[in-house]
Amino acid sequence: MAAASALLVAGCTSSSAQSEPEAAGATVGMLPSSHIHGVAIDPADGQLLLATHDGLFEVGDDGESTHIGPVIDLMGFAVRGPGHFLASGHPGPDVDLPEPVGLIESTDGGRTWEPRSRQGESDFHALTVSDAGVLGYDGSLVRSADGDEWEQLLIPEAPASLAAAPDGRTILATTEQGLLSSLDGGGSWVRTDGAPLLQVVDWADDGMNVAGVDPSGLVWTSADGAVTWQAGPDLESPPQAVAATSSAGGSLRIAVVTTTALMESDDGGLTFDVVLQN
C-alpha cells in the first residue's frame, strides 16, 4: 500500500468527532491468532467472528474467543446469511479438504464445512458475497451466480479486499493505487474520484453505509454508497480486516482488526473500544 499521506484527496471530508480508541479495561481478552484474515458480524446473533490462520473464532460478550469447527487457514471469508458462511484458504492438519480448499460453505455457523467448487484450484484472498452471487480474487477475478459455475473478469489492479453492496450491482475494490468501483457486478471498473486510499473496506447491509480503514489505521465512513467520505478516529495500527452492519433505526456498527487489536464501534465509527488485543 502507498503511504497514508496520499489519503487526503479532493472530495474527502474530515469528521469533527475524532477520538482515540478506548480500552475496555481488565475484561479485554487476547486475540486468538496473529494471522487474522477476516472479521464479520453474524446476523444470526450479532456475534463477532474472526477468520484466522487457525480457523474460525467467535468472540463472546465476556471478551474471550472460542474456536469453532476445524482448523482451516481461512484466507477469504464472507457471510451469506445467519450462520451461513463462505470461505477459502488451506486445510489444517487432519482436515479432509483439498489444497487449496477452493470455495467452501458452512450452514451451521462454521462448525462444519463442505466443498462447493474450485477445490485444489482457488485460494481466494479477497472474497465477497451478495444477492447476486460470489466474487473472488485468487490471482484472477472470478464471479459466480450460484457458487458452482464461474466466469473470469478483468480488473485493472490486484484487490486487497472486495466489498459488494447487498444487491451485488456495486462493488468496491481496495488497491495500492486507490479505490476502484464497479456498477455492473465486477464486469468493468473505474477509479473512485475523491475516495481515500483504503486497505480494507466493507459495505453495510442497508446498502448505503460503507466503512473502510486506510493503511495507517485511520477509519473512513460513507453514508451515501461510497460517493463521499468522512474521516473518523485513528486506530494507530495497520488494519487487517473490517466489517460493517446496520439495522433499521440503528446506528452503524463497525468492527476493525488491526495488527494489535480487535476494536468495535457502535456509534457509526465516532469512537472505538478495544475488544481483544495482542
mmCIF file with all atom_site columns, all heavy atoms in Angstrom, residues 1 126 137 139-141 153-162 173-181 189-192 197:
data_model
loop_
_atom_site.group_PDB
_atom_site.id
_atom_site.type_symbol
_atom_site.label_atom_id
_atom_site.label_alt_id
_atom_site.label_comp_id
_atom_site.label_asym_id
_atom_site.label_entity_id
_atom_site.label_seq_id
_atom_site.pdbx_PDB_ins_code
_atom_site.Cartn_x
_atom_site.Cartn_y
_atom_site.Cartn_z
_atom_site.occupancy
_atom_site.B_iso_or_equiv
_atom_site.pdbx_formal_charge
_atom_site.auth_seq_id
_atom_site.auth_comp_id
_atom_site.auth_asym_id
_atom_site.auth_atom_id
_atom_site.pdbx_PDB_model_num
ATOM 1   N N   . MET A 1 1   ? 0.822   -1.193  0.000   1.00 0.00 ? 1   MET A N   1
ATOM 2   C CA  . MET A 1 1   ? 0.000   0.000   0.000   1.00 0.00 ? 1   MET A CA  1
ATOM 3   C C   . MET A 1 1   ? 0.864   1.253   0.000   1.00 0.00 ? 1   MET A C   1
ATOM 4   O O   . MET A 1 1   ? 1.940   1.272   0.566   1.00 0.00 ? 1   MET A O   1
ATOM 5   C CB  . MET A 1 1   ? -0.897  0.026   1.240   1.00 0.00 ? 1   MET A CB  1
ATOM 6   C CG  . MET A 1 1   ? -2.053  -0.951  1.148   1.00 0.00 ? 1   MET A CG  1
ATOM 7   S SD  . MET A 1 1   ? -3.229  -0.453  -0.089  1.00 0.00 ? 1   MET A SD  1
ATOM 8   C CE  . MET A 1 1   ? -4.351  -1.825  -0.032  1.00 0.00 ? 1   MET A CE  1
ATOM 9   N N   . ALA A 1 126 ? -9.352  -12.485 -1.446  1.00 0.00 ? 126 ALA A N   1
ATOM 10  C CA  . ALA A 1 126 ? -10.422 -11.485 -1.377  1.00 0.00 ? 126 ALA A CA  1
ATOM 11  C C   . ALA A 1 126 ? -11.704 -12.176 -1.803  1.00 0.00 ? 126 ALA A C   1
ATOM 12  O O   . ALA A 1 126 ? -11.743 -12.847 -2.840  1.00 0.00 ? 126 ALA A O   1
ATOM 13  C CB  . ALA A 1 126 ? -10.125 -10.292 -2.278  1.00 0.00 ? 126 ALA A CB  1
ATOM 14  N N   . TYR A 1 137 ? -11.093 -13.219 -5.654  1.00 0.00 ? 137 TYR A N   1
ATOM 15  C CA  . TYR A 1 137 ? -9.815  -12.971 -6.327  1.00 0.00 ? 137 TYR A CA  1
ATOM 16  C C   . TYR A 1 137 ? -8.792  -13.974 -5.830  1.00 0.00 ? 137 TYR A C   1
ATOM 17  O O   . TYR A 1 137 ? -8.492  -14.041 -4.626  1.00 0.00 ? 137 TYR A O   1
ATOM 18  C CB  . TYR A 1 137 ? -9.330  -11.546 -6.062  1.00 0.00 ? 137 TYR A CB  1
ATOM 19  C CG  . TYR A 1 137 ? -8.078  -11.196 -6.841  1.00 0.00 ? 137 TYR A CG  1
ATOM 20  C CD1 . TYR A 1 137 ? -8.158  -10.838 -8.183  1.00 0.00 ? 137 TYR A CD1 1
ATOM 21  C CD2 . TYR A 1 137 ? -6.829  -11.248 -6.245  1.00 0.00 ? 137 TYR A CD2 1
ATOM 22  C CE1 . TYR A 1 137 ? -7.018  -10.529 -8.914  1.00 0.00 ? 137 TYR A CE1 1
ATOM 23  C CE2 . TYR A 1 137 ? -5.679  -10.937 -6.961  1.00 0.00 ? 137 TYR A CE2 1
ATOM 24  C CZ  . TYR A 1 137 ? -5.787  -10.580 -8.298  1.00 0.00 ? 137 TYR A CZ  1
ATOM 25  O OH  . TYR A 1 137 ? -4.656  -10.284 -9.019  1.00 0.00 ? 137 TYR A OH  1
ATOM 26  N N   . GLY A 1 139 ? -5.766  -14.377 -7.758  1.00 0.00 ? 139 GLY A N   1
ATOM 27  C CA  . GLY A 1 139 ? -4.796  -14.068 -8.799  1.00 0.00 ? 139 GLY A CA  1
ATOM 28  C C   . GLY A 1 139 ? -5.506  -13.641 -10.064 1.00 0.00 ? 139 GLY A C   1
ATOM 29  O O   . GLY A 1 139 ? -4.959  -12.927 -10.904 1.00 0.00 ? 139 GLY A O   1
ATOM 30  N N   . SER A 1 140 ? -6.757  -14.064 -10.195 1.00 0.00 ? 140 SER A N   1
ATOM 31  C CA  . SER A 1 140 ? -7.689  -13.604 -11.219 1.00 0.00 ? 140 SER A CA  1
ATOM 32  C C   . SER A 1 140 ? -9.015  -13.294 -10.545 1.00 0.00 ? 140 SER A C   1
ATOM 33  O O   . SER A 1 140 ? -9.354  -13.893 -9.514  1.00 0.00 ? 140 SER A O   1
ATOM 34  C CB  . SER A 1 140 ? -7.897  -14.667 -12.302 1.00 0.00 ? 140 SER A CB  1
ATOM 35  O OG  . SER A 1 140 ? -6.711  -14.960 -12.988 1.00 0.00 ? 140 SER A OG  1
ATOM 36  N N   . LEU A 1 141 ? -9.758  -12.368 -11.124 1.00 0.00 ? 141 LEU A N   1
ATOM 37  C CA  . LEU A 1 141 ? -11.080 -12.034 -10.594 1.00 0.00 ? 141 LEU A CA  1
ATOM 38  C C   . LEU A 1 141 ? -12.098 -12.947 -11.254 1.00 0.00 ? 141 LEU A C   1
ATOM 39  O O   . LEU A 1 141 ? -12.173 -13.041 -12.486 1.00 0.00 ? 141 LEU A O   1
ATOM 40  C CB  . LEU A 1 141 ? -11.414 -10.576 -10.887 1.00 0.00 ? 141 LEU A CB  1
ATOM 41  C CG  . LEU A 1 141 ? -12.708 -10.052 -10.266 1.00 0.00 ? 141 LEU A CG  1
ATOM 42  C CD1 . LEU A 1 141 ? -12.571 -9.963  -8.746  1.00 0.00 ? 141 LEU A CD1 1
ATOM 43  C CD2 . LEU A 1 141 ? -13.072 -8.685  -10.836 1.00 0.00 ? 141 LEU A CD2 1
ATOM 44  N N   . LEU A 1 153 ? -13.261 -12.400 -14.950 1.00 0.00 ? 153 LEU A N   1
ATOM 45  C CA  . LEU A 1 153 ? -13.435 -10.989 -15.244 1.00 0.00 ? 153 LEU A CA  1
ATOM 46  C C   . LEU A 1 153 ? -12.073 -10.304 -15.241 1.00 0.00 ? 153 LEU A C   1
ATOM 47  O O   . LEU A 1 153 ? -11.074 -10.873 -14.817 1.00 0.00 ? 153 LEU A O   1
ATOM 48  C CB  . LEU A 1 153 ? -14.337 -10.335 -14.185 1.00 0.00 ? 153 LEU A CB  1
ATOM 49  C CG  . LEU A 1 153 ? -15.708 -10.978 -13.952 1.00 0.00 ? 153 LEU A CG  1
ATOM 50  C CD1 . LEU A 1 153 ? -16.400 -10.333 -12.761 1.00 0.00 ? 153 LEU A CD1 1
ATOM 51  C CD2 . LEU A 1 153 ? -16.578 -10.871 -15.199 1.00 0.00 ? 153 LEU A CD2 1
ATOM 52  N N   . LEU A 1 154 ? -12.060 -9.076  -15.693 1.00 0.00 ? 154 LEU A N   1
ATOM 53  C CA  . LEU A 1 154 ? -10.836 -8.282  -15.685 1.00 0.00 ? 154 LEU A CA  1
ATOM 54  C C   . LEU A 1 154 ? -10.936 -7.205  -14.619 1.00 0.00 ? 154 LEU A C   1
ATOM 55  O O   . LEU A 1 154 ? -12.015 -6.646  -14.386 1.00 0.00 ? 154 LEU A O   1
ATOM 56  C CB  . LEU A 1 154 ? -10.605 -7.633  -17.056 1.00 0.00 ? 154 LEU A CB  1
ATOM 57  C CG  . LEU A 1 154 ? -10.378 -8.588  -18.229 1.00 0.00 ? 154 LEU A CG  1
ATOM 58  C CD1 . LEU A 1 154 ? -10.238 -7.798  -19.532 1.00 0.00 ? 154 LEU A CD1 1
ATOM 59  C CD2 . LEU A 1 154 ? -9.142  -9.460  -17.999 1.00 0.00 ? 154 LEU A CD2 1
ATOM 60  N N   . ILE A 1 155 ? -9.817  -6.916  -13.970 1.00 0.00 ? 155 ILE A N   1
ATOM 61  C CA  . ILE A 1 155 ? -9.729  -5.818  -13.017 1.00 0.00 ? 155 ILE A CA  1
ATOM 62  C C   . ILE A 1 155 ? -8.367  -5.155  -13.209 1.00 0.00 ? 155 ILE A C   1
ATOM 63  O O   . ILE A 1 155 ? -7.366  -5.854  -13.424 1.00 0.00 ? 155 ILE A O   1
ATOM 64  C CB  . ILE A 1 155 ? -9.935  -6.317  -11.564 1.00 0.00 ? 155 ILE A CB  1
ATOM 65  C CG1 . ILE A 1 155 ? -10.066 -5.137  -10.594 1.00 0.00 ? 155 ILE A CG1 1
ATOM 66  C CG2 . ILE A 1 155 ? -8.861  -7.290  -11.136 1.00 0.00 ? 155 ILE A CG2 1
ATOM 67  C CD1 . ILE A 1 155 ? -10.554 -5.544  -9.204  1.00 0.00 ? 155 ILE A CD1 1
ATOM 68  N N   . PRO A 1 156 ? -8.291  -3.823  -13.195 1.00 0.00 ? 156 PRO A N   1
ATOM 69  C CA  . PRO A 1 156 ? -7.028  -3.142  -13.530 1.00 0.00 ? 156 PRO A CA  1
ATOM 70  C C   . PRO A 1 156 ? -5.874  -3.455  -12.589 1.00 0.00 ? 156 PRO A C   1
ATOM 71  O O   . PRO A 1 156 ? -4.716  -3.477  -13.006 1.00 0.00 ? 156 PRO A O   1
ATOM 72  C CB  . PRO A 1 156 ? -7.390  -1.653  -13.463 1.00 0.00 ? 156 PRO A CB  1
ATOM 73  C CG  . PRO A 1 156 ? -8.865  -1.604  -13.630 1.00 0.00 ? 156 PRO A CG  1
ATOM 74  C CD  . PRO A 1 156 ? -9.391  -2.865  -13.026 1.00 0.00 ? 156 PRO A CD  1
ATOM 75  N N   . GLU A 1 157 ? -6.164  -3.679  -11.305 1.00 0.00 ? 157 GLU A N   1
ATOM 76  C CA  . GLU A 1 157 ? -5.116  -3.923  -10.314 1.00 0.00 ? 157 GLU A CA  1
ATOM 77  C C   . GLU A 1 157 ? -5.586  -4.991  -9.340  1.00 0.00 ? 157 GLU A C   1
ATOM 78  O O   . GLU A 1 157 ? -6.784  -5.208  -9.159  1.00 0.00 ? 157 GLU A O   1
ATOM 79  C CB  . GLU A 1 157 ? -4.793  -2.634  -9.544  1.00 0.00 ? 157 GLU A CB  1
ATOM 80  C CG  . GLU A 1 157 ? -4.166  -1.538  -10.395 1.00 0.00 ? 157 GLU A CG  1
ATOM 81  C CD  . GLU A 1 157 ? -4.697  -0.162  -10.041 1.00 0.00 ? 157 GLU A CD  1
ATOM 82  O OE1 . GLU A 1 157 ? -5.229  -0.013  -8.936  1.00 0.00 ? 157 GLU A OE1 1
ATOM 83  O OE2 . GLU A 1 157 ? -4.590  0.744   -10.884 1.00 0.00 ? 157 GLU A OE2 1
ATOM 84  N N   . ALA A 1 158 ? -4.635  -5.642  -8.696  1.00 0.00 ? 158 ALA A N   1
ATOM 85  C CA  . ALA A 1 158 ? -4.965  -6.690  -7.734  1.00 0.00 ? 158 ALA A CA  1
ATOM 86  C C   . ALA A 1 158 ? -5.651  -6.084  -6.515  1.00 0.00 ? 158 ALA A C   1
ATOM 87  O O   . ALA A 1 158 ? -5.109  -5.158  -5.891  1.00 0.00 ? 158 ALA A O   1
ATOM 88  C CB  . ALA A 1 158 ? -3.703  -7.429  -7.310  1.00 0.00 ? 158 ALA A CB  1
ATOM 89  N N   . PRO A 1 159 ? -6.818  -6.582  -6.126  1.00 0.00 ? 159 PRO A N   1
ATOM 90  C CA  . PRO A 1 159 ? -7.520  -6.043  -4.949  1.00 0.00 ? 159 PRO A CA  1
ATOM 91  C C   . PRO A 1 159 ? -7.010  -6.655  -3.657  1.00 0.00 ? 159 PRO A C   1
ATOM 92  O O   . PRO A 1 159 ? -6.793  -7.868  -3.562  1.00 0.00 ? 159 PRO A O   1
ATOM 93  C CB  . PRO A 1 159 ? -8.972  -6.442  -5.203  1.00 0.00 ? 159 PRO A CB  1
ATOM 94  C CG  . PRO A 1 159 ? -8.875  -7.715  -5.994  1.00 0.00 ? 159 PRO A CG  1
ATOM 95  C CD  . PRO A 1 159 ? -7.633  -7.581  -6.838  1.00 0.00 ? 159 PRO A CD  1
ATOM 96  N N   . ALA A 1 160 ? -6.821  -5.811  -2.648  1.00 0.00 ? 160 ALA A N   1
ATOM 97  C CA  . ALA A 1 160 ? -6.524  -6.313  -1.307  1.00 0.00 ? 160 ALA A CA  1
ATOM 98  C C   . ALA A 1 160 ? -7.799  -6.793  -0.630  1.00 0.00 ? 160 ALA A C   1
ATOM 99  O O   . ALA A 1 160 ? -7.784  -7.753  0.135   1.00 0.00 ? 160 ALA A O   1
ATOM 100 C CB  . ALA A 1 160 ? -5.858  -5.229  -0.466  1.00 0.00 ? 160 ALA A CB  1
ATOM 101 N N   . SER A 1 161 ? -8.916  -6.121  -0.922  1.00 0.00 ? 161 SER A N   1
ATOM 102 C CA  . SER A 1 161 ? -10.208 -6.554  -0.396  1.00 0.00 ? 161 SER A CA  1
ATOM 103 C C   . SER A 1 161 ? -11.302 -6.178  -1.381  1.00 0.00 ? 161 SER A C   1
ATOM 104 O O   . SER A 1 161 ? -11.151 -5.242  -2.182  1.00 0.00 ? 161 SER A O   1
ATOM 105 C CB  . SER A 1 161 ? -10.485 -5.927  0.977   1.00 0.00 ? 161 SER A CB  1
ATOM 106 O OG  . SER A 1 161 ? -10.632 -4.524  0.882   1.00 0.00 ? 161 SER A OG  1
ATOM 107 N N   . LEU A 1 162 ? -12.403 -6.915  -1.328  1.00 0.00 ? 162 LEU A N   1
ATOM 108 C CA  . LEU A 1 162 ? -13.572 -6.679  -2.169  1.00 0.00 ? 162 LEU A CA  1
ATOM 109 C C   . LEU A 1 162 ? -14.791 -6.531  -1.266  1.00 0.00 ? 162 LEU A C   1
ATOM 110 O O   . LEU A 1 162 ? -14.906 -7.222  -0.249  1.00 0.00 ? 162 LEU A O   1
ATOM 111 C CB  . LEU A 1 162 ? -13.814 -7.852  -3.119  1.00 0.00 ? 162 LEU A CB  1
ATOM 112 C CG  . LEU A 1 162 ? -12.766 -8.120  -4.196  1.00 0.00 ? 162 LEU A CG  1
ATOM 113 C CD1 . LEU A 1 162 ? -12.980 -9.512  -4.804  1.00 0.00 ? 162 LEU A CD1 1
ATOM 114 C CD2 . LEU A 1 162 ? -12.831 -7.052  -5.288  1.00 0.00 ? 162 LEU A CD2 1
ATOM 115 N N   . ALA A 1 173 ? -13.292 -2.213  -4.592  1.00 0.00 ? 173 ALA A N   1
ATOM 116 C CA  . ALA A 1 173 ? -12.045 -2.966  -4.506  1.00 0.00 ? 173 ALA A CA  1
ATOM 117 C C   . ALA A 1 173 ? -10.942 -2.031  -4.046  1.00 0.00 ? 173 ALA A C   1
ATOM 118 O O   . ALA A 1 173 ? -10.724 -0.971  -4.646  1.00 0.00 ? 173 ALA A O   1
ATOM 119 C CB  . ALA A 1 173 ? -11.685 -3.577  -5.861  1.00 0.00 ? 173 ALA A CB  1
ATOM 120 N N   . THR A 1 174 ? -10.265 -2.393  -2.960  1.00 0.00 ? 174 THR A N   1
ATOM 121 C CA  . THR A 1 174 ? -9.128  -1.592  -2.498  1.00 0.00 ? 174 THR A CA  1
ATOM 122 C C   . THR A 1 174 ? -7.870  -2.078  -3.199  1.00 0.00 ? 174 THR A C   1
ATOM 123 O O   . THR A 1 174 ? -7.625  -3.286  -3.290  1.00 0.00 ? 174 THR A O   1
ATOM 124 C CB  . THR A 1 174 ? -8.949  -1.701  -0.977  1.00 0.00 ? 174 THR A CB  1
ATOM 125 O OG1 . THR A 1 174 ? -8.636  -3.055  -0.617  1.00 0.00 ? 174 THR A OG1 1
ATOM 126 C CG2 . THR A 1 174 ? -10.219 -1.277  -0.245  1.00 0.00 ? 174 THR A CG2 1
ATOM 127 N N   . THR A 1 175 ? -7.071  -1.141  -3.705  1.00 0.00 ? 175 THR A N   1
ATOM 128 C CA  . THR A 1 175 ? -5.826  -1.483  -4.376  1.00 0.00 ? 175 THR A CA  1
ATOM 129 C C   . THR A 1 175 ? -4.733  -0.519  -3.940  1.00 0.00 ? 175 THR A C   1
ATOM 130 O O   . THR A 1 175 ? -4.999  0.510   -3.314  1.00 0.00 ? 175 THR A O   1
ATOM 131 C CB  . THR A 1 175 ? -5.960  -1.400  -5.915  1.00 0.00 ? 175 THR A CB  1
ATOM 132 O OG1 . THR A 1 175 ? -5.900  -0.027  -6.339  1.00 0.00 ? 175 THR A OG1 1
ATOM 133 C CG2 . THR A 1 175 ? -7.274  -2.020  -6.395  1.00 0.00 ? 175 THR A CG2 1
ATOM 134 N N   . GLU A 1 176 ? -3.494  -0.826  -4.295  1.00 0.00 ? 176 GLU A N   1
ATOM 135 C CA  . GLU A 1 176 ? -2.373  0.042   -3.949  1.00 0.00 ? 176 GLU A CA  1
ATOM 136 C C   . GLU A 1 176 ? -2.470  1.397   -4.640  1.00 0.00 ? 176 GLU A C   1
ATOM 137 O O   . GLU A 1 176 ? -1.898  2.379   -4.167  1.00 0.00 ? 176 GLU A O   1
ATOM 138 C CB  . GLU A 1 176 ? -1.056  -0.629  -4.318  1.00 0.00 ? 176 GLU A CB  1
ATOM 139 C CG  . GLU A 1 176 ? -0.717  -1.832  -3.467  1.00 0.00 ? 176 GLU A CG  1
ATOM 140 C CD  . GLU A 1 176 ? 0.645   -2.401  -3.780  1.00 0.00 ? 176 GLU A CD  1
ATOM 141 O OE1 . GLU A 1 176 ? 1.262   -1.956  -4.782  1.00 0.00 ? 176 GLU A OE1 1
ATOM 142 O OE2 . GLU A 1 176 ? 1.098   -3.288  -3.038  1.00 0.00 ? 176 GLU A OE2 1
ATOM 143 N N   . GLN A 1 177 ? -3.180  1.455   -5.742  1.00 0.00 ? 177 GLN A N   1
ATOM 144 C CA  . GLN A 1 177 ? -3.290  2.701   -6.492  1.00 0.00 ? 177 GLN A CA  1
ATOM 145 C C   . GLN A 1 177 ? -4.547  3.495   -6.164  1.00 0.00 ? 177 GLN A C   1
ATOM 146 O O   . GLN A 1 177 ? -4.728  4.596   -6.681  1.00 0.00 ? 177 GLN A O   1
ATOM 147 C CB  . GLN A 1 177 ? -3.258  2.398   -8.008  1.00 0.00 ? 177 GLN A CB  1
ATOM 148 C CG  . GLN A 1 177 ? -2.036  1.624   -8.453  1.00 0.00 ? 177 GLN A CG  1
ATOM 149 C CD  . GLN A 1 177 ? -0.742  2.322   -8.070  1.00 0.00 ? 177 GLN A CD  1
ATOM 150 O OE1 . GLN A 1 177 ? -0.602  3.530   -8.244  1.00 0.00 ? 177 GLN A OE1 1
ATOM 151 N NE2 . GLN A 1 177 ? 0.203   1.558   -7.534  1.00 0.00 ? 177 GLN A NE2 1
ATOM 152 N N   . GLY A 1 178 ? -5.416  2.954   -5.327  1.00 0.00 ? 178 GLY A N   1
ATOM 153 C CA  . GLY A 1 178 ? -6.628  3.670   -4.959  1.00 0.00 ? 178 GLY A CA  1
ATOM 154 C C   . GLY A 1 178 ? -7.859  2.786   -5.029  1.00 0.00 ? 178 GLY A C   1
ATOM 155 O O   . GLY A 1 178 ? -7.795  1.617   -5.439  1.00 0.00 ? 178 GLY A O   1
ATOM 156 N N   . LEU A 1 179 ? -8.984  3.342   -4.620  1.00 0.00 ? 179 LEU A N   1
ATOM 157 C CA  . LEU A 1 179 ? -10.230 2.593   -4.575  1.00 0.00 ? 179 LEU A CA  1
ATOM 158 C C   . LEU A 1 179 ? -10.844 2.486   -5.967  1.00 0.00 ? 179 LEU A C   1
ATOM 159 O O   . LEU A 1 179 ? -11.002 3.480   -6.670  1.00 0.00 ? 179 LEU A O   1
ATOM 160 C CB  . LEU A 1 179 ? -11.215 3.294   -3.633  1.00 0.00 ? 179 LEU A CB  1
ATOM 161 C CG  . LEU A 1 179 ? -12.497 2.534   -3.298  1.00 0.00 ? 179 LEU A CG  1
ATOM 162 C CD1 . LEU A 1 179 ? -12.199 1.290   -2.477  1.00 0.00 ? 179 LEU A CD1 1
ATOM 163 C CD2 . LEU A 1 179 ? -13.475 3.446   -2.552  1.00 0.00 ? 179 LEU A CD2 1
ATOM 164 N N   . LEU A 1 180 ? -11.199 1.256   -6.359  1.00 0.00 ? 180 LEU A N   1
ATOM 165 C CA  . LEU A 1 180 ? -11.900 1.008   -7.608  1.00 0.00 ? 180 LEU A CA  1
ATOM 166 C C   . LEU A 1 180 ? -13.355 0.707   -7.312  1.00 0.00 ? 180 LEU A C   1
ATOM 167 O O   . LEU A 1 180 ? -13.689 0.152   -6.263  1.00 0.00 ? 180 LEU A O   1
ATOM 168 C CB  . LEU A 1 180 ? -11.282 -0.175  -8.361  1.00 0.00 ? 180 LEU A CB  1
ATOM 169 C CG  . LEU A 1 180 ? -9.822  -0.083  -8.775  1.00 0.00 ? 180 LEU A CG  1
ATOM 170 C CD1 . LEU A 1 180 ? -9.385  -1.402  -9.433  1.00 0.00 ? 180 LEU A CD1 1
ATOM 171 C CD2 . LEU A 1 180 ? -9.586  1.086   -9.715  1.00 0.00 ? 180 LEU A CD2 1
ATOM 172 N N   . SER A 1 181 ? -14.227 1.060   -8.251  1.00 0.00 ? 181 SER A N   1
ATOM 173 C CA  . SER A 1 181 ? -15.639 0.720   -8.099  1.00 0.00 ? 181 SER A CA  1
ATOM 174 C C   . SER A 1 181 ? -16.182 0.166   -9.406  1.00 0.00 ? 181 SER A C   1
ATOM 175 O O   . SER A 1 181 ? -15.712 0.497   -10.495 1.00 0.00 ? 181 SER A O   1
ATOM 176 C CB  . SER A 1 181 ? -16.456 1.946   -7.672  1.00 0.00 ? 181 SER A CB  1
ATOM 177 O OG  . SER A 1 181 ? -16.423 2.953   -8.655  1.00 0.00 ? 181 SER A OG  1
ATOM 178 N N   . TRP A 1 189 ? -14.564 -1.587  -14.338 1.00 0.00 ? 189 TRP A N   1
ATOM 179 C CA  . TRP A 1 189 ? -14.088 -0.871  -13.153 1.00 0.00 ? 189 TRP A CA  1
ATOM 180 C C   . TRP A 1 189 ? -13.631 0.537   -13.501 1.00 0.00 ? 189 TRP A C   1
ATOM 181 O O   . TRP A 1 189 ? -13.100 0.768   -14.597 1.00 0.00 ? 189 TRP A O   1
ATOM 182 C CB  . TRP A 1 189 ? -12.916 -1.622  -12.518 1.00 0.00 ? 189 TRP A CB  1
ATOM 183 C CG  . TRP A 1 189 ? -13.278 -2.978  -12.029 1.00 0.00 ? 189 TRP A CG  1
ATOM 184 C CD1 . TRP A 1 189 ? -13.284 -4.138  -12.750 1.00 0.00 ? 189 TRP A CD1 1
ATOM 185 C CD2 . TRP A 1 189 ? -13.718 -3.326  -10.708 1.00 0.00 ? 189 TRP A CD2 1
ATOM 186 N NE1 . TRP A 1 189 ? -13.691 -5.191  -11.959 1.00 0.00 ? 189 TRP A NE1 1
ATOM 187 C CE2 . TRP A 1 189 ? -13.958 -4.720  -10.703 1.00 0.00 ? 189 TRP A CE2 1
ATOM 188 C CE3 . TRP A 1 189 ? -13.911 -2.592  -9.541  1.00 0.00 ? 189 TRP A CE3 1
ATOM 189 C CZ2 . TRP A 1 189 ? -14.396 -5.394  -9.564  1.00 0.00 ? 189 TRP A CZ2 1
ATOM 190 C CZ3 . TRP A 1 189 ? -14.338 -3.254  -8.404  1.00 0.00 ? 189 TRP A CZ3 1
ATOM 191 C CH2 . TRP A 1 189 ? -14.572 -4.648  -8.426  1.00 0.00 ? 189 TRP A CH2 1
ATOM 192 N N   . VAL A 1 190 ? -13.831 1.457   -12.552 1.00 0.00 ? 190 VAL A N   1
ATOM 193 C CA  . VAL A 1 190 ? -13.302 2.817   -12.673 1.00 0.00 ? 190 VAL A CA  1
ATOM 194 C C   . VAL A 1 190 ? -12.688 3.207   -11.336 1.00 0.00 ? 190 VAL A C   1
ATOM 195 O O   . VAL A 1 190 ? -13.088 2.679   -10.284 1.00 0.00 ? 190 VAL A O   1
ATOM 196 C CB  . VAL A 1 190 ? -14.397 3.840   -13.057 1.00 0.00 ? 190 VAL A CB  1
ATOM 197 C CG1 . VAL A 1 190 ? -14.964 3.537   -14.434 1.00 0.00 ? 190 VAL A CG1 1
ATOM 198 C CG2 . VAL A 1 190 ? -15.504 3.872   -12.009 1.00 0.00 ? 190 VAL A CG2 1
ATOM 199 N N   . ARG A 1 191 ? -11.715 4.098   -11.382 1.00 0.00 ? 191 ARG A N   1
ATOM 200 C CA  . ARG A 1 191 ? -11.150 4.610   -10.142 1.00 0.00 ? 191 ARG A CA  1
ATOM 201 C C   . ARG A 1 191 ? -12.136 5.594   -9.518  1.00 0.00 ? 191 ARG A C   1
ATOM 202 O O   . ARG A 1 191 ? -12.755 6.396   -10.205 1.00 0.00 ? 191 ARG A O   1
ATOM 203 C CB  . ARG A 1 191 ? -9.813  5.304   -10.413 1.00 0.00 ? 191 ARG A CB  1
ATOM 204 C CG  . ARG A 1 191 ? -9.022  5.530   -9.129  1.00 0.00 ? 191 ARG A CG  1
ATOM 205 C CD  . ARG A 1 191 ? -7.599  5.956   -9.422  1.00 0.00 ? 191 ARG A CD  1
ATOM 206 N NE  . ARG A 1 191 ? -6.927  5.110   -10.392 1.00 0.00 ? 191 ARG A NE  1
ATOM 207 C CZ  . ARG A 1 191 ? -6.453  3.900   -10.141 1.00 0.00 ? 191 ARG A CZ  1
ATOM 208 N NH1 . ARG A 1 191 ? -6.606  3.373   -8.940  1.00 0.00 ? 191 ARG A NH1 1
ATOM 209 N NH2 . ARG A 1 191 ? -5.861  3.202   -11.071 1.00 0.00 ? 191 ARG A NH2 1
ATOM 210 N N   . THR A 1 192 ? -12.312 5.508   -8.204  1.00 0.00 ? 192 THR A N   1
ATOM 211 C CA  . THR A 1 192 ? -13.283 6.324   -7.496  1.00 0.00 ? 192 THR A CA  1
ATOM 212 C C   . THR A 1 192 ? -12.665 7.667   -7.138  1.00 0.00 ? 192 THR A C   1
ATOM 213 O O   . THR A 1 192 ? -11.855 7.762   -6.216  1.00 0.00 ? 192 THR A O   1
ATOM 214 C CB  . THR A 1 192 ? -13.772 5.603   -6.228  1.00 0.00 ? 192 THR A CB  1
ATOM 215 O OG1 . THR A 1 192 ? -14.264 4.310   -6.588  1.00 0.00 ? 192 THR A OG1 1
ATOM 216 C CG2 . THR A 1 192 ? -14.881 6.390   -5.559  1.00 0.00 ? 192 THR A CG2 1
ATOM 217 N N   . LEU A 1 197 ? -7.476  6.463   0.162   1.00 0.00 ? 197 LEU A N   1
ATOM 218 C CA  . LEU A 1 197 ? -6.721  5.256   -0.141  1.00 0.00 ? 197 LEU A CA  1
ATOM 219 C C   . LEU A 1 197 ? -6.960  4.259   0.981   1.00 0.00 ? 197 LEU A C   1
ATOM 220 O O   . LEU A 1 197 ? -6.410  4.390   2.075   1.00 0.00 ? 197 LEU A O   1
ATOM 221 C CB  . LEU A 1 197 ? -5.236  5.577   -0.271  1.00 0.00 ? 197 LEU A CB  1
ATOM 222 C CG  . LEU A 1 197 ? -4.304  4.386   -0.503  1.00 0.00 ? 197 LEU A CG  1
ATOM 223 C CD1 . LEU A 1 197 ? -4.608  3.705   -1.831  1.00 0.00 ? 197 LEU A CD1 1
ATOM 224 C CD2 . LEU A 1 197 ? -2.851  4.844   -0.475  1.00 0.00 ? 197 LEU A CD2 1
#
